């Protein structure tokens, strides 16, 4: 079902799969850690990204 969904409905998805809850947890852990000190003013997305156009 996932393969069909991403082939027919989300052809521009970069990951070509659903993300896992652990991946969201990893992003939240990073944001809450000192490692993210230089990350400011940025919109952080955990969705795999989308290619709007090849050119």
């Amino acid at each position: 079902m996932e393969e069909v969904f991403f082939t027919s409905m989300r052809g521009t998805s970069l990951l070509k799969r659903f993300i896992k809850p652990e991946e969201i947890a990893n992003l939240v852990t990073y944001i809450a850690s000192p490692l993210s000190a230089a990350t400011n003013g940025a919109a952080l997305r955990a969705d795999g990204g989308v290619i709007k156009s090849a050119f």
Side-chain angles (χ1 to χ4, degrees):
M1 181 179 103
E2 183 175 2
E3 185 178 338
V4 171
F5 175 78
F6 282 98
T7 301
S8 63
M9 302 292 288
R10 297 286 191 266
T12 60
S13 170
L14 295 175
L15 284 179
K16 303 287 188 207
R17 65 174 176 81
F18 293 115
I19 60 174
K20 300 174 185 165
E22 294 83 14
E23 293 172 300
I24 298 297
N26 289 339
L27 178 60
V28 171
T29 301
Y30 165 73
I31 294 168
S33 78
L35 296 173
S36 70
T39 305
N40 50 39
L44 303 175
R45 296 174 56 176
D47 66 358
V50 174
I51 302 171
K52 294 288 186 187
S53 172
F55 302 100

